[in-house]
Amino acid sequence: MSPFLAWARLELRQLLRARVLLVAASVLLATGVAAIVDGAARVAAEREVIAALEPALREQESYLRKTHAPNDDLGLVLYYLAMPIAHEPNAWTALSTGLRDVHPYSRHLRFIGLVPQLYQTDIANPLKQLAGSFDYGFALVFLVPLFIIGASYDVRSRDDDLGTESLVCSQPTRLSRLLALRLGLRAALVSAVALALLAFAVAWLGLPLDARAGAFALASLAYIALWFVAVFLVASLRRSSAWNAIALVGAWMAFCVLLPALVNLAILTASPARGGVELTLAQRQEMNAGWDRPKRATLDPFFARRPEWASTPVPEDRFSWPWYYAMHEMGDAHVAREVDAYHAALARRERWTERAAFALPPLALQLLLDRMAGTDMATELAFRDSIAAYHEQLKQHVYPLLFNGKGLDAFDIDAVPRHRFAGAGQPVQVSALAGLLGVLALLGVMIPQAVRRIDATPRKEARAPRAPWFAGALTRKEPS
């Protein structure tokens, strides 16, 4: 048996005997399984809520028909009726919560103004946003690097700590190969945990084995390899174990916490926008101001937007439902430019985030998973656009009934269009995957220099292991 194979057998035996390491790997595996099961339970609960939307609509319509006469004004009934809309999760949603902890899966859309209904969910609980969500994406992006650091920070310096550095350096095998062997065994362990979790997710969630599964597996392995390359580069500096641990934990804090926060702050500063709360207040103020204005001040701009109803007589000396719904629409029209600017700002922020992911591997992996799960900002914007288009469909359906003075008996709930959104699942985000592989390749360029630095270590004669610092105190004799 060659010396290298003998050393590999010895390192594997030591790795299998490291109970703390195996226990930590088991805890990491259990954490990932718990995250997947919890995500599946949350998604299943949301699917039940979505499935109950249509029956709830039927019950609401039945109640309104019981409490109103058939010839009652339809505008009064429509004021209370709410149509269901849903952003249905896909098979990957259980792995990454993304924006779904802030924006709900399902909503109810009334026939009144759109802006307050669409943007009131932007009023998020800051404590909930601060705590974040526990999902598989969190375990992979944040916990796996910490496990890698804990398992590998002393892969080079432990020989110096144990006093076996001279013995290792005297071996006929190059020191860089020995370090690569140690890291390779640990990388195999972490990769096995990641692939086992992906296999469990495929079996538990019924994920399709398509290009998305292959891309996610490739991205996960590239992310793991990136952190092991970082450990190898730090180990090549030949510092102490404490210094290595601090350096690697500092890198984790920088790339997983600090730099993404700074990038987010820079993006928010560079692309300012009025928030959903401000848009809601502006729409409300404009709409409520219509109560104190002459009705022609509302109807004239409304008829200019919808000339097909310009010849319809609308009472100006009393309240009427056509005027009321026109007032809501003009409130939306008052903030239409601000809404477009808000959407454009969010889209710009998303594009800049994708660009920043080229240099931040944790962000790239999270974006890749969010895009496949349909929980990213691009999908949320597409969902909001679908709501706006659906609200317009509702108005096109009910305006002929309202402006022609029809009663409740003329309203057919089955004829009302239903909301459909086909953007719950998105294809693989190639830019995020390219960013991961690009950073890995960039670090890989530095490996040859690190190998030369490690192999340039002068070989020393083997010496006995150093005694611990307290050995002298234990053997010192007391004066008689």
Side-chain angles (χ1 to χ4, degrees):
M1 181 180 296
S2 64
F4 181 77
L5 292 180
W7 195 276
R9 185 176 180 181
L10 176 62
E11 289 290 339
L12 179 60
R13 185 179 304 174
Q14 291 181 350
L15 182 65
L16 296 178
R17 289 179 178 177
R19 296 182 179 179
V20 176
L21 181 61
L22 297 181
V23 169
S26 301
V27 171
L28 180 64
L29 181 63
T31 301
V33 170
I36 294 172
V37 173
D38 179 69
R42 284 187 285 104
V43 169
E46 294 296 340
R47 291 185 190 276
E48 293 180 359
V49 173
I50 293 175
L53 291 177
E54 186 66 22
L57 175 65
R58 297 289 180 175
E59 293 180 4
Q60 184 185 22
E61 186 229 359
S62 177
Y63 173 78
L64 291 175
R65 289 191 182 276
K66 291 179 181 179
T67 55
H68 292 82
N71 59 347
D72 278 355
D73 200 323
L74 182 59
L76 177 62
V77 179
L78 293 181
Y79 178 81
Y80 296 103
L81 189 64
M83 300 299 297
I85 55 177
H87 182 175
E88 295 188 5
N90 64 1
W92 290 86
T93 307
L95 299 182
S96 180
T97 304
L99 295 176
R100 296 278 73 79
D101 60 346
V102 179
H103 303 288
Y105 289 83
S106 59
R107 309 179 192 182
H108 289 85
L109 189 65
R110 297 166 64 192
F111 294 85
I112 58 176
L114 174 64
V115 172
Q117 303 181 77
L118 188 58
Y119 295 102
Q120 63 183 355
T121 55
D122 286 355
I123 309 175
N125 186 343
L127 295 179
K128 188 174 182 179
Q129 288 182 309
L130 180 63
S133 300
F134 174 71
D135 52 19
Y136 177 69
F138 174 82
L140 180 61
V141 173
F142 292 94
L143 300 186
V144 167
L146 288 178
F147 175 79
I148 294 174
I149 293 172
S152 309
Y153 74 96
D154 61 345
V155 69
R156 169 66 180 83
S157 56
R158 74 176 185 180
D159 296 317
D160 183 60
D161 298 337
L162 297 175
T164 58
E165 181 183 11
S166 301
L167 179 62
V168 174
C169 292
S170 64
Q171 299 301 311
T173 303
R174 290 187 301 173
L175 185 58
S176 60
R177 296 185 64 186
L178 297 179
L179 295 183
L181 172 64
R182 292 175 178 176
L183 291 177
L185 293 175
R186 288 160 175 78
L189 176 62
V190 179
S191 300
V193 171
L195 293 179
L197 288 175
L198 180 58
F200 175 78
V202 170
W204 189 263
L205 303 175
L207 299 179
L209 294 176
D210 51 11
R212 291 186 295 179
F216 180 69
L218 176 61
S220 301
L221 296 178
Y223 187 69
I224 293 172
L226 187 147
W227 281 103
F228 274 105
V229 171
V231 171
F232 184 81
L233 296 178
V234 171
S236 68
L237 301 178
R238 301 188 64 235
R239 300 295 184 92
S240 64
S241 298
W243 191 94
N244 293 342
I246 293 175
L248 291 172
V249 171
W252 176 86
M253 293 181 62
F255 282 94
C256 294
V257 180
L258 181 60
L259 290 179
L262 293 178
V263 167
N264 181 63
L265 178 61
I267 292 175
L268 293 180
T269 304
S271 299
R274 299 181 66 181
V277 179
E278 297 181 5
L279 294 176
T280 300
L281 291 177
Q283 194 273 355
R284 286 293 189 185
Q285 291 174 354
E286 176 65 20
M287 192 274 296
N288 290 331
W291 293 96
D292 301 323
R293 298 171 182 168
K295 290 182 173 51
R296 297 309 307 179
T298 298
L299 294 174
D300 288 343
F302 174 79
F303 289 146
R305 286 170 53 89
R306 299 187 181 273
E308 64 271 21
W309 306 113
S311 59
T312 303
V314 178
E316 299 184 20
D317 57 344
R318 59 180 175 85
F319 175 87
S320 64
W321 287 107
W323 164 78
Y324 179 78
Y325 285 97
M327 188 168 57
H328 273 275
E329 178 168 330
M330 295 315 300
D332 288 340
H334 178 72
V335 295
R337 292 184 178 179
E338 287 80 359
V339 170
D340 293 340
Y342 182 51
H343 275 219
L346 294 180
R348 284 196 305 271
R349 293 173 183 177
E350 180 71 4
R351 290 193 297 269
W352 279 109
T353 302
E354 294 176 359
R355 295 167 185 170
F358 280 101
L360 295 176
L363 182 58
L365 184 59
Q366 188 66 60
L367 285 179
L368 177 71
L369 185 56
D370 288 348
R371 179 61 57 88
M372 292 190 299
T375 58
D376 60 319
M377 178 56 70
T379 307
E380 174 64 21
L381 291 178
F383 178 57
R384 294 185 182 187
D385 291 338
S386 72
I387 296 176
Y390 177 61
H391 193 259
E392 179 63 25
Q393 285 183 316
L394 293 179
K395 290 190 290 187
Q396 292 289 345
H397 180 79
V398 300
Y399 275 176
L401 301 176
L402 286 174
F403 283 89
N404 290 321
K406 300 296 183 179
L408 177 58
D409 55 349
F411 180 72
D412 183 9
I413 191 64
D414 293 325
V416 178
R418 298 299 195 267
H419 176 257
R420 295 290 184 271
F421 178 63
Q426 297 292 333
V428 177
Q429 190 174 18
V430 181
S431 60
L433 182 59
L436 272 172
L437 298 178
V439 174
L440 180 59
L442 183 62
L443 291 180
V445 174
M446 305 170 63
I447 291 180
Q449 183 179 0
V451 169
R452 288 192 295 268
R453 186 185 303 114
I454 294 175
D455 292 336
T457 302
R459 297 186 178 274
K460 306 174 183 179
E461 296 295 331
R463 58 180 175 84
R466 295 181 298 181
W469 62 271
F470 52 82
L474 296 178
T475 58
R476 187 181 301 117
K477 296 182 179 180
E478 294 293 336
S480 56

